[in-house]
Amino acid sequence: MASTFFGLNVALSGVVTQQRALNTVSHNLTNATTPGYSRQRVDMAANTPTPYPALNMPVGPGQLGTGVVATQHARLRDQFVDLNYRATSADVGNYSAKADALSTIDTIIDEPGDTGLTHLLSQYWGSWQALSLQPDSAAARETVRHAGQALAQGFNDVSAQLTASRSEADTRIGLGVQRVNELAGQVNELNKQIAMVVAVGQEPNDLRDQRDVLIDQIAGFANVTVTEPGANGKVSIAVGSQLLVDGTTDTVGALAIDAAGAATVNGVATTVTSGSLRGLVDIRDTVIGGATGYIAQLDTLAAAVATSVNTRHAAGFGLDGTTGTAFFTGTTAATLGVSAAITASVDAIAASDTAGNLPAGADNAVDLAQLQFVVQTIGTSTTTLDGFYQQMVARIGVDTDQAGRMAQVQQGVLEAAQARRDGVSGVNLDEEMSDMVRFQKSYNAAARMVTTLDEMLDTIISRMGVVGR
Amino acid sequence: MSTGQMTRNFLADLEGNYRSLADSQRQVSTGKRILTPSDDPVGIAIALGLRRDQKAGEAWGRNIDDSLTWMNTTDRALGQALEVAQRARELAVQGGNGTLSAESRALIAAEVDSLKSQFVEIGNSSIGGRYIFGGTATDRPPFDPATETAAAPVNTSLINREVAQGSVISVNITADRLQDPPGATADIFTVLDDLSNSLRTSDFDGITRSLGALDAHQDNISALRGEQAAKVNRLELTASRFEAQKIATGDQLSRIEDVDMAQAITDLTMKETVYRSALAAGARVIQPSLVDFLR
């Protein structure tokens, strides 16, 4: 026979468990906007029943339920959705890093604009045309010098800005690597805490959430693979082929990316194929820097302008009879400048093709103006000087447009992954509220049971056996 | 669906709407469809090429204008030179008349002498301080007024200008061609000197020879004018071709770079409406949940 107070215990289990469920609802509600928070649920099960013996029977006719028990606090999370989310997040990181850097360049080259190189080149060739009309005019000569200086300055500026963009990418790579290593350290710490909680048989849901947020962040920087090496709740994180966080040994590796773009973990080569670090390395070493990058192309153009102008210019004669003068100095976009001779005197500008044709001979000026349309080999292209630059501008346009579009597409995919993840892990206020009502009512009912049992006990204790008193 | 997701979706949509609204606004306020290369990478390559052609066309246009001024001045000078030659011929014919007295012939000879100075003046015609018959030595007079002959050294260089892509034209006639016709005929000053001498000495054979020589000079100057006129024609044709090209290029450039205003403004209005609707819908959808109704 069940004890007198048996029912109180059953009711109590209800009160306690429903309260626990209500607390979980409360926890969910308050974390509805917490980034990375996963909805939690109290799993309930009927407690182990006890046999219920009859008066004349040692073995009971049935089993008596002993109430409810909270079996676990489940964290609603789908690791396949996480996998998808992190892979997409790495792609978004890659393309948005590129799109960001490129959109800056897209703006700084100022095409089509009045300070762009196209305009400056046109002005320069035009100034030679003007000089061909009045080769003996100091004003026309001044125009050529000025246009030459503006062109050189234009090359210097664009080169400086490209170099600045490249340095910025470099700085961001450094900061990104540092951040990844910090995050890895934090994951390792959480790993240890989680293992401790798991060891005592509990579910460290919130710690896992925090750890997942950190892993999500790492995934934005580089491609990661997450594995759970043991049953202790720890995870290992690999970047490429190398473990960054080792869940079996509780060690953290150091990710590094060198000036050539090669990635290593603890000095062992690995590959970063995605994430913002990949994007930034591409920008730094291939798109802006590198043998075929924008800076190299601009340098090729600057060298071609300097060489073709100088060769032609040196063949001519200045108003002062000088010959063999270079118009430009420098062989790169950053160092291009107008030669000292021309800076010193505009009379050194060689408009005439022979000394005998001074002062009004302008055949050399005509030839120099015609350089604009001379098809030559520049780098690997056969085109005009302007044409080469136009190709470069078009390439910047295509690159920027493509990176921007890819970033947008990947962002869309990421949003879809986020939506799928939310579908599993996100908190819906309506759902929580209806749960709240449910648990509250159950709590009330269990409490009412206590009252009922109390009244029953009152009957037993206060009123039983009072006959004849 | 979680509550947070709804907010996020709403924000993402709103941001998309806002970006596209900002794009439209920028297009309307600048009137340009291409503001950076990424707006239309293919378009920009064409646009930059067209802009370059436009600028180059402008420079060639200026070259043509300047050349035309130069050539018109040259033509005027050649016209005057022709008149001098004609007048000399008239005087030679007049002086060849045997009934004239020696005094009259001396008077005619004096006029011939003054024609010489006139020819020197014509030969020293200038534009803005540049002697047009001086070859590339535009800074010194090609004829010496003191000796009334060509000043040494005679500069025979041509002044060349580019008037279209790869098309170079010489705009000047040099002093040697002005004073010396091709062939064996002596230069104009020698001819005028001879004529003057023949008139003074009543050398009728000499006067007759001068007549022939003056004919050759007239032919020469006429030929020079013809040559100039042909070039002027060519330049004027090129100039009008540039005008037509300028319009075509501008038109093409505008089609690539400029915004169709009617369409852009319609787009802008439409996007504005969409944006407002999204805001209104968001305000309604986000608020209510069971929280608002449970008591």
Side-chain angles (χ1 to χ4, degrees), chain B residues 172-189:
Chain B
N172 65 330
I173 300 284
T174 48
D176 58 318
R177 297 186 67 197
L178 180 64
Q179 64 163 354
D180 233 346
T185 315
D187 71 66
I188 188 88
F189 301 109

Side-chain angles (χ1 to χ4, degrees), chain B residues 164-211:
Chain B
Q165 188 179 332
S167 170
V168 174
I169 202 167
S170 55
V171 294
N172 65 330
I173 300 284
T174 48
D176 58 318
R177 297 186 67 197
L178 180 64
Q179 64 163 354
D180 233 346
T185 315
D187 71 66
I188 188 88
F189 301 109
T190 314
V191 170
L192 291 177
D193 272 345
D194 286 351
L195 177 58
S196 167
N197 280 336
S198 305
L199 285 168
R200 285 205 169 86
T201 55
S202 300
D203 173 4
F204 291 104
D205 284 349
I207 293 172
T208 313
R209 271 199 309 278
S210 297
L211 271 176

Side-chain angles (χ1 to χ4, degrees), chain B residues 221-258:
Chain B
I221 296 170
S222 297
L224 292 178
R225 285 187 85 181
E227 184 186 315
Q228 289 290 86
K231 280 185 192 171
V232 167
N233 253 340
R234 186 176 139 200
L235 284 182
E236 276 168 352
L237 273 176
T238 314
S240 62
R241 190 160 55 84
F242 278 146
E243 277 310 307
Q245 228 168 38
K246 199 164 111 186
I247 295 166
T249 313
D251 198 43
Q252 213 180 340
L253 198 59
S254 151
R255 251 182 292 143
I256 293 170
E257 283 190 335
D258 294 351

